[in-house]
Amino acid sequence: MNPAAGPDAPLQSAFASLRDGERPVGAGVLVAERLVLTCAHVVNSALGRGRFEQSTPAGGDTVTLRLPHIAPARDLTARVLRELWVPPRAHAAGCVPVEPGRVPYHGDLAVLELTDAPPEGAEPAPFLQHSHAGEVIALWASGNPLPTVRAVPRVSAPPWIALDVLGGAQVTEGFSGGPLWDRERQAVVGLVAAVHRAPETAPPGAQPTTMYAISVPAIEAELPALPPSAVPTARRGVQQLLTALERVLKGREAVLACEQRLAARLGRPSAGPAADLDRLVGLAVGVRRGLPELLDLVRDYEPTAAAAPYDHPAHYGAREDWERLRRAARTVRPGEYLTTRQRRDLAGLLAHCTRTDPGTLLERVLPHAPELPAVTGLADAVDALEGFGPATAAPVPPLLQGVVRIAVEERAGGPYPAEDLDAWAERVAARSGVDEAAVSQFRADIEAAAAPAPPPGAGPRAATAPRVQVELLPTPTGRRFTYQIWTFADGHAHRLALVHDAEAGSEQVVDDIRRVLRTEVREDPETALVEYFLPAAWLGLDVDAWESPDSDEDGPFAPGLTRRVVVRTTERSRESYAGWKQRTAALPHAKRLVLDHRHTDRKVARAQLEIHRDAGTVIVCCAPHHHGTLLRQCVQAGVHTVLWHRADHGEHLAQDLLALVDGTDHTEVPEAVRLERAKAMAEPESAGHPGRKLSLLYDAPDHRPPQLAPDAWVLTQP
């Protein structure tokens, strides 16, 4: 009997039921041809021992199990592998027994080896690290689908995942040892270990039943000798990977050698002389952490391709091929950066770190991420960072940034483990193709930022990317304003620099901005960004063209030419913020959208923005009297970058503005617009230069709205 094709077919092909006679006592999952992974307490129950018995079962003890979806009437016999027996223990270190009712605890893993080959149709299950938002299911020990439990991960509390059970389902001990199955990603994401039920007297609406599962990283850490698990079949990027490997591995001998070594590392049989590039890639993408292992092997076999080429122009082509290979690997497996050994070494060092808060670490490494995973331990935090690719202009990937930050914070407690973390980061960077100088510079920047404030008289530290933020409230005429000016620089809190509650004209606003720039902002090494915050109805104000009057000192001050000036809005709602998050997540592959004379009807504009929900940059190119309508539509849809010309429109202008942002990272758009304005001013005879009256609404991820005033800003906070 083979499982019917369906969303749970890979789970059913690997699901095992552990039995005490005819009674199922728990579950397990096939992880290799003859190896079944389960909980140690389930094995203890199957052998009639105490639930938390520590000693390894005797060599003659056997466990009976079935594969209920493959051969429901056939009993299989298995023995515990002594080297893969990890009984429950109260603490991460040592072997203190678990107190009854205490959760979470550590260990509680066992691997059984079948004495005979499994029935036809049995296949090891694919594994992936869990997702914090995806729904998962768990089967009862018998494998019967009726008592299936649905749950959603709530928090990762290493070594366990805590999940909220949906629909009021009853979770009993028979779920223990069973695989936690993610239907959407088609992978096992943990092993059910325990359950905590609300008391029967709990009031309606109380916390739902909590189910606990051992996470995949915890399984890998507790069972380092377990062969690498399979992963879901890769659908994206495999052809890119094949093409990139053909350029790096020169000749059949190189392919054969890499396939043989990779098979040995992954504990899989080699195809020998029959190996080819397809077999090599299939082997790498079919096993967890197989692609980082492949890259590590390729680097050793073809060191020229991965070596830093910057000193030798002849190496540029080889370096490009290596980078192409690394990008293809991230496309296939975006959540895998480290080899098994690298991950294990890092986990060992993190166990000695006591000064770094994991939540704060994620906030500092990923300040612009729409959502941050809930984590409680450093190992969990670096697992989350491993899944994030580097930003467009960031030479150091988030994982290495995190490790460097941990080392800087831990150094205050002594040289260990800080110095070993530094050495680990340098070694992994070198083997991953990350420039060593970039890692050193990043470490120096973090150390400088963490250094204590200079003593009185020593002068302030240089600020980075300072901002002047003007909260502007126009009067009904739109010619007079009240305003507040805030400063933000060098990671410090926002500071209110000036309040002007009497109505003033635009020249006074700009003059006060200049005063704040001179007295409150140290503009080294980067000139400040000026941000005008406006109600949505006033986004058409030409604030980017405002100037102060001439003076005897240095003439008029025009922020739009000498500073990056952008317009922002104070009216993002919960709905628009949800759209903002979606468009932010799509930035790496987002396309530009043009709204022109065909889209001036609000319904048409909204429909266009709904169709292109991944568009983060919009070009508005229509008659000026339609600008306000389209700008408000963009804000409502969550668009964070809108470029438009206040006077001109037409297809030629749309093409010019598209060319301006094409190939430009979103973080560089404000500077590109400033330079375009300056070019137009430098060519007074060119009346048609697109830089004249160019405007930019910019609420991009690196400029997430601050909480200037609680009532006005609370909805814009992630």
Side-chain angles (χ1 to χ4, degrees):
M1 173 182 173
N2 290 328
D8 301 333
L11 169 67
Q12 293 168 349
S13 298
F15 187 86
S17 173
L18 276 68
R19 319 188 64 87
D20 179 7
E22 287 298 315
R23 181 175 64 92
V25 295
V29 60
L30 204 63
V31 293
E33 183 183 5
R34 294 195 180 192
L35 299 184
V36 174
L37 174 67
T38 184
C39 286
H41 82 259
V42 173
V43 174
N44 282 334
S45 297
L47 295 175
R49 308 193 326 160
R51 177 185 178 89
F52 294 140
E53 175 63 42
Q54 298 276 306
S55 62
T56 307
D61 290 342
T62 60
V63 177
T64 300
L65 56 86
R66 292 178 185 172
L67 302 180
H69 301 282
I70 301 295
R74 178 179 168 184
D75 284 344
L76 302 173
T77 302
R79 291 186 176 85
V80 175
L81 292 178
R82 298 182 63 84
E83 65 274 18
L84 297 177
W85 171 258
V86 185
R89 62 186 188 278
H91 307 295
C95 54
V96 178
V98 176
E99 299 174 9
R102 172 174 177 169
V103 293
Y105 49 80
H106 297 261
D108 200 9
L109 293 167
V111 177
L112 306 173
E113 184 178 30
L114 299 176
T115 55
D116 297 307
E120 183 179 354
E123 292 287 343
F127 280 69
L128 285 177
Q129 189 170 335
H130 73 280
S131 166
H132 286 270
E135 183 179 307
V136 296
I137 65 167
L139 301 180
W140 192 62
S142 67
N144 190 307
L146 289 180
T148 297
V149 164
R150 297 165 47 239
V152 174
R154 178 180 0 121
V155 66
S156 181
W160 285 3
I161 313 162
L163 306 102
D164 289 331
V165 175
L166 304 178
Q170 292 297 313
V171 185
T172 64
E173 291 186 355
F175 285 91
S176 292
L180 203 60
W181 179 248
D182 188 323
R183 278 177 169 162
E184 181 178 353
R185 300 164 70 215
Q186 290 287 282
V188 174
V189 295
L191 213 63
V192 179
V195 63
H196 174 74
R197 284 182 290 274
E200 296 181 0
T201 56
Q207 186 75 17
T209 298
T210 300
M211 183 167 64
Y212 298 99
I214 306 173
S215 67
V216 170
I219 294 170
E220 293 174 340
E222 295 278 9
L223 299 172
L226 185 68
S229 57
V231 291
T233 303
R235 298 179 179 88
R236 181 183 176 196
V238 172
Q239 295 303 314
Q240 300 173 47
L241 190 64
L242 284 165
T243 302
L245 272 173
E246 282 180 339
R247 298 176 67 93
V248 174
L249 291 178
K250 307 296 185 182
R252 176 172 170 75
E253 292 301 321
V255 174
L256 291 177
C258 279
E259 193 275 344
Q260 184 179 21
R261 296 175 185 178
L262 183 62
R265 279 198 183 191
L266 300 179
R268 300 296 196 270
S270 169
D276 56 15
L277 204 60
D278 287 290
R279 157 69 185 179
L280 176 62
V281 169
L283 185 62
V285 302
V287 176
R288 183 161 160 78
R289 299 201 179 275
L291 279 175
E293 298 285 2
L294 173 62
L295 294 183
D296 200 53
L297 282 171
V298 170
R299 183 188 183 281
D300 288 340
Y301 197 85
E302 294 287 347
T304 302
Y310 307 106
D311 299 330
H312 306 285
H315 288 175
Y316 288 161
R319 175 71 181 197
E320 183 180 347
D321 292 341
W322 172 251
E323 291 300 326
R324 186 178 183 182
L325 177 60
R326 291 180 61 239
R327 287 195 301 270
R330 289 290 292 185
T331 300
V332 178
R333 291 278 177 251
E336 295 182 1
Y337 186 87
L338 303 177
T339 67
T340 302
R341 171 59 67 181
Q342 290 167 347
R343 173 65 182 82
R344 195 178 304 156
D345 290 345
L346 177 59
L349 293 171
L350 294 177
H352 298 276
C353 297
T354 58
R355 294 175 173 269
T356 308
D357 177 71
T360 303
L361 176 70
L362 290 184
E363 291 173 0
R364 290 176 176 173
V365 178
L366 306 170
H368 316 310
E371 299 286 350
L372 290 177
V375 297
T376 57
L378 280 181
D380 197 31
V382 297
D383 284 338
L385 290 176
E386 188 176 4
F388 285 85
T392 306
V396 182
L399 174 67
L400 291 179
Q401 290 185 33
V403 175
V404 170
R405 285 182 177 276
I406 294 171
V408 170
E409 291 198 27
E410 297 297 324
R411 189 165 285 111
Y416 184 79
E419 292 181 353
D420 284 78
L421 285 168
D422 283 338
W424 182 95
E426 291 169 2
R427 186 166 183 264
V428 170
R431 299 193 70 83
S432 304
V434 179
D435 187 12
E436 182 180 350
V439 177
S440 299
Q441 183 61 56
F442 180 78
R443 181 183 296 109
D445 292 342
I446 299 303
E447 289 174 342
R461 290 204 313 266
T464 338
R467 292 187 234 165
V468 173
Q469 299 172 323
V470 186
E471 189 177 18
L472 200 62
L473 300 175
T475 60
T477 64
R479 298 186 181 91
R480 307 286 291 178
F481 314 92
T482 57
Y483 51 93
Q484 301 180 35
I485 302 180
W486 299 70
T487 60
F488 174 57
D490 205 23
H492 296 304
H494 292 81
R495 197 177 85 78
L496 183 61
L498 184 148
V499 176
H500 198 101
D501 53 9
E503 294 182 5
S506 61
E507 292 181 346
Q508 181 64 52
V509 176
V510 175
D511 203 46
D512 281 341
I513 291 173
R514 175 161 56 176
R515 183 179 303 113
V516 169
L517 284 168
R518 287 176 170 175
T519 60
E520 305 292 336
V521 176
R522 178 181 173 88
E523 299 195 43
D524 179 28
E526 187 175 350
T527 56
L529 168 71
V530 177
E531 301 175 323
Y532 284 96
F533 287 87
L534 293 162
W538 294 99
L539 288 174
L541 282 174
D542 59 344
V543 293
D544 30 47
W546 286 355
E547 297 181 3
S548 68
D550 288 338
S551 69
D552 295 336
E553 295 181 16
D554 48 10
F557 173 57
L561 299 180
T562 59
R563 304 295 189 277
R564 294 164 293 150
V565 172
V566 301
V567 180
R568 303 182 65 186
T569 177
T570 57
E571 295 184 8
R572 288 214 182 272
S573 65
R574 292 189 187 278
E575 180 185 2
S576 70
Y577 185 64
W580 182 91
K581 289 198 296 183
Q582 180 174 353
R583 295 176 192 276
T584 298
L587 268 178
H589 53 81
K591 296 181 179 179
R592 274 73 174 178
L593 173 65
V594 175
L595 297 181
D596 54 25
H597 64 280
R598 298 167 298 174
H599 311 118
T600 53
D601 183 275
R602 287 184 297 176
K603 293 181 181 178
V604 176
R606 184 64 181 181
Q608 282 287 323
L609 292 166
E610 284 295 317
I611 293 172
H612 301 90
R613 294 184 67 84
D614 63 340
T617 300
V618 172
I619 307 295
V620 170
C621 191
C622 59
H625 63 278
H626 291 299
H627 286 171
T629 297
L630 293 187
L631 289 172
R632 285 193 292 274
Q633 289 293 311
C634 289
V635 170
Q636 184 179 357
V639 178
H640 47 60
T641 302
V642 183
L643 191 60
W644 76 101
H645 195 283
R646 295 189 184 275
D648 198 5
H649 62 96
E651 185 176 351
H652 68 285
L653 180 65
Q655 294 303 317
D656 288 342
L657 298 187
L658 281 172
L660 180 63
V661 297
D662 188 36
T664 302
D665 183 75
H666 75 274
T667 60
E668 301 167 350
V669 171
E671 178 63 11
V673 171
R674 184 191 73 82
L675 290 176
E676 202 70 10
R677 292 177 186 141
K679 290 175 184 177
M681 187 60 66
E683 301 173 13
E685 70 283 356
S686 177
H689 195 288
R692 296 184 182 278
K693 299 192 176 182
L694 193 60
S695 290
L696 176 65
L697 183 149
Y698 191 73
D699 263 330
D702 51 340
H703 291 68
R704 191 164 49 188
Q707 193 167 347
L708 300 184
D711 292 338
W713 295 93
V714 67
L715 295 181
T716 65
Q717 294 304 299

